[in-house]
Amino acid sequence: MEQPMVLEDRSGQTSILTLNRPDVMNSLNFDLLRALGEKVQTLQWDPEVRVIVITGAGQKAFCAGADLKERASMPEDQVRQFILTLRSLFTFIEYMNKPVIAAVNGIALGGGTELALACDIRIVSENATMGLTETRLAIIPGGGGTQRLPRIVGKGKAKELIFTGRRVDSKEALDIGLVNKVAPAEKLMDACLEMAAMICEAGPIAVSQAKYAINYGCEVDLNTGLAIESNAYWVTIPTEDRMEGLVAFREKRKPVYKGK
């Protein structure tokens, strides 16, 4: 029986999605993009899931980017369709209402790095390698890399990495702020689940609104950003979770948030 393109496991309130094409380093083709899109769109409305972790099957690669064998056989119009599908999916992941952690378990090049950039938090294994290498193929990053990378590491460093197509190891990725944390390969998923568990202790509506305020506020002037923050805050005021937080604080116990 043929294996699914994307595997799903659960750990408490965390869903772990695994890109499942290890024979081709989890490279992205139309089928994998569609399968991942279906998963994240479903999880967005699953009340039992508060955090999503995305990783790659096998020990070598998170995602080596686009499947170049498939790409070579595409006419120009189909290449455009692929890039739009890729970009739309990554934008959905970036703006969906739940935090997404990239567990980068090896090589992440081109679209693989772009997928990690679209996630909220990036935790990588010590043997991880990342890079936007597209200019070496006479193209440019098309899944948001030219826009997300400079917002994360700064314009100058992003230009250096994109113009040269240079790869960075886990240490440099951490040094330049490309990733949040580095973990030993055998403990990568533990580190991601530990981070996810900490997020799950917080109020899910509050986390969702904080993500909204950060994502949209960073794209506007400060005064508009503060207005966005205020509107996001107002959403949390009438919730049961806010009252539970106050009661739990008074009773010196851990709050039990229900997302209501």
Side-chain angles (χ1 to χ4, degrees):
M1 185 175 177
E2 190 172 327
Q3 285 284 311
M5 284 282 180
V6 177
L7 305 175
E8 182 181 2
D9 294 300
R10 296 285 176 98
S11 176
Q13 294 173 305
T14 299
S15 172
I16 304 166
L17 301 180
T18 303
L19 309 180
N20 190 33
R21 300 187 75 211
D23 53 324
V24 289
M25 302 180 76
N26 303 311
S27 60
L28 301 166
N29 63 4
F30 270 116
D31 288 341
L32 180 52
L33 291 177
R34 292 179 184 122
L36 181 58
E38 289 173 4
K39 287 288 187 182
V40 293
Q41 288 173 38
T42 299
L43 290 172
Q44 176 169 240
W45 305 114
D46 188 335
E48 301 301 317
V49 173
R50 295 189 182 177
V51 180
I52 298 167
V53 175
I54 299 178
T55 192
Q59 305 300 315
K60 294 182 179 180
F62 171 71
C63 173
D67 186 332
L68 296 182
K69 288 185 179 179
E70 180 187 68
R71 177 73 62 82
S73 66
M74 290 181 183
E76 289 183 8
D77 285 348
Q78 200 168 19
V79 174
R80 293 187 181 95
Q81 181 186 354
F82 180 89
I83 293 301
L84 288 173
T85 302
L86 183 82
R87 186 181 301 141
S88 297
L89 172 59
F90 292 176
T91 299
F92 180 88
I93 289 170
E94 181 177 21
Y95 285 92
M96 71 182 297
N97 61 350
K98 296 178 182 181
V100 183
I101 299 172
V104 181
N105 57 310
I107 291 172
L109 301 177
T113 287
E114 289 180 303
L115 172 56
L117 291 172
C119 296
D120 300 293
I121 295 169
R122 287 158 292 283
I123 301 178
V124 305
S125 63
E126 289 175 336
N127 65 334
T129 302
M130 303 179 74
L132 295 179
T133 54
E134 287 88 347
T135 56
R136 292 185 171 272
L137 295 171
I139 55 175
I140 69 170
T146 65
Q147 302 306 303
R148 293 189 179 99
L149 186 63
R151 285 166 166 79
I152 292 172
V153 304
K155 188 186 294 186
K157 179 58 69 173
K159 286 181 176 180
E160 173 197 333
L161 294 178
I162 292 172
F163 293 174
T164 64
R166 183 169 68 82
R167 305 178 184 191
V168 299
D169 60 19
S170 60
K171 182 181 183 303
E172 183 175 0
L174 184 64
D175 289 343
I176 65 177
L178 175 56
V179 304
N180 299 76
K181 187 175 182 179
V182 177
E186 69 276 9
K187 295 183 178 179
L188 174 62
M189 191 52 64
D190 290 340
C192 292
L193 292 177
E194 181 180 352
M195 178 76 73
M198 292 177 65
I199 295 171
C200 288
E201 290 179 354
I205 297 174
V207 171
S208 174
Q209 290 302 308
K211 177 172 177 174
Y212 179 93
I214 293 168
N215 279 352
Y216 286 97
C218 283
E219 303 303 318
V220 298
D221 63 89
L222 179 59
N223 284 334
T224 305
L226 291 172
I228 291 170
E229 179 186 84
S230 292
N231 288 335
Y233 193 111
W234 303 156
V235 172
T236 68
I237 291 176
T239 63
E240 294 178 17
D241 282 351
R242 186 180 74 89
M243 297 309 298
E244 164 63 10
L246 294 173
V247 171
F249 178 79
R250 185 173 66 244
E251 296 177 352
K252 298 181 180 180
R253 60 171 174 83
K254 279 192 173 184
V256 180
Y257 295 125
K258 299 179 180 178
K260 297 181 180 179

